[in-house]
Amino acid sequence: MTFSIQQLSDDSKFSQALRFEVLERLCPPELVSELLTRCHAWGERERSLNQLLLVYYVIALSLFRRLNLAEVLSHLVRGLRWLWSNPCLRLPTAAALVYRRRQLGTPVMRHLFQRVCQPMATEQTKGAFRFGLRLMAIDGTLDEVAETPANALYFGRLSSGKNQSPFPQVRCLYLAEVGTHAIVDAVFAPVGSPNSVLPLWCSPAQCRQACSS
C-alpha cells in the first residue's frame, strides 16, 4: 500500500489551513468568532492572517515567551511546509504581526479571558474546598512589558540606586484557585504605584463602550 502526503493548493488561504487543536478545545472558534463580532473586531477584508487566527497567536505568545514574534508563528506552522505545494509561501513579518495585533485591540482578549478563565475545581479536587467554601489565593509578581514610550511613561521602570530595569515593569496581582492554580482574575498596576491598579477587563459599562466604538 502506498501513501502520499496531502498537499494544500496554491490558492488556499494561510488562515484556512492553520489549526490550533489544543487551544481550540479551550477557546472554541465559535466563541472567539462571537466575541470578534460583538467587539466589531473583524477586518474589513480577509487577509492571510485573519483576526480569528490572530487571537490564537496572541495566546501562543504567552506559551513561547523565549521566542520573538515571528519565531512564535514559525514554531506553530512548521509542519505546513510539508503540506503546501507552493514552496515560496512566506509567513507574515514581525512588523505585520505588530500591525495586526494593534488592529485586534484589547476588548476581545478581555472578554475571552472573562469567559474562559473560570474556577475549575470540583468537590473531588484535593485541597480545593474548606468548610464548603472554595479556597482562593492572591499572588503578586512583576513582569516586563514591551519597550515603548507609552509603556515606559505609564508603567515605569524598577529602580535600584542608579540602575533601572532594561524594560518597563508592570505590577501584577492575580486571583488564583488553590486546588488547580487556575488564574481567574487579575489587575495590573505601574511598578512605582502599588496602590493604583488597572483592571484586566473593563467594567460592564466600559466594555459596552469599548465594543461599540
Side-chain angles (χ1 to χ4, degrees):
M1 181 180 296
T2 60
F3 295 91
S4 61
I5 297 178
Q6 180 184 4
Q7 290 189 333
L8 302 175
S9 60
D10 292 346
D11 57 353
S12 296
K13 285 191 175 294
F14 174 77
S15 57
Q16 297 172 346
L18 189 58
R19 295 291 182 269
F20 301 103
E21 286 82 1
V22 175
L23 293 179
E24 287 177 348
R25 286 200 295 269
L26 300 174
C27 306
E30 297 79 12
L31 171 60
V32 178
S33 297
E34 173 195 335
L35 296 178
L36 286 168
T37 301
R38 178 181 174 187
C39 295
H40 308 288
W42 287 107
E44 295 183 359
R45 61 185 179 88
E46 185 178 8
R47 303 171 185 262
S48 59
L49 188 65
N50 65 20
Q51 300 298 66
L52 178 63
L53 176 61
L54 193 63
V55 169
Y56 293 113
Y57 166 74
V58 170
I59 297 175
L61 289 176
S62 64
L63 303 177
F64 305 100
R65 298 188 61 178
R66 294 185 179 274
L67 304 179
N68 63 38
L69 297 179
E71 289 174 344
V72 170
L73 188 59
S74 298
H75 178 79
L76 295 173
V77 305
R78 63 176 52 177
L80 286 179
R81 67 189 181 92
W82 299 106
L83 305 178
W84 221 296
S85 58
N86 183 4
C88 299
L89 180 70
R90 294 186 296 178
L91 297 179
T93 64
L97 292 171
V98 171
Y99 176 74
R100 296 294 283 156
R101 287 177 65 193
R102 187 178 296 113
Q103 284 187 320
L104 177 64
T106 59
V108 173
M109 304 308 297
R110 289 170 176 163
H111 284 286
L112 185 62
F113 180 94
Q114 187 176 14
R115 295 279 292 272
V116 174
C117 297
Q118 300 289 333
M120 303 169 56
T122 65
E123 294 182 357
Q124 288 71 40
T125 304
K126 186 177 181 180
F129 291 86
R130 188 69 171 176
F131 305 118
L133 300 176
R134 187 184 302 271
L135 299 180
M136 308 297 291
I138 296 177
D139 193 13
T141 185
L142 293 177
D143 206 348
E144 295 177 347
V145 294
E147 175 63 87
T148 65
N151 282 341
L153 179 63
Y154 182 84
F155 293 109
R157 302 176 189 271
L158 191 64
S159 300
S160 176
K162 297 182 179 180
N163 300 320
Q164 286 188 329
S165 58
F167 292 94
Q169 301 276 315
V170 56
R171 189 177 299 278
C172 310
L173 185 66
Y174 300 116
L175 177 64
E177 189 178 44
V178 172
T180 63
H181 296 183
I183 296 176
V184 299
D185 202 352
V187 290
F188 298 147
V191 66
S193 304
N195 295 326
S196 175
V197 295
L198 176 66
L200 180 59
W201 63 67
C202 323
S203 66
Q206 291 173 321
C207 286
R208 288 193 295 270
Q209 181 180 0
C211 291
S212 61
S213 59

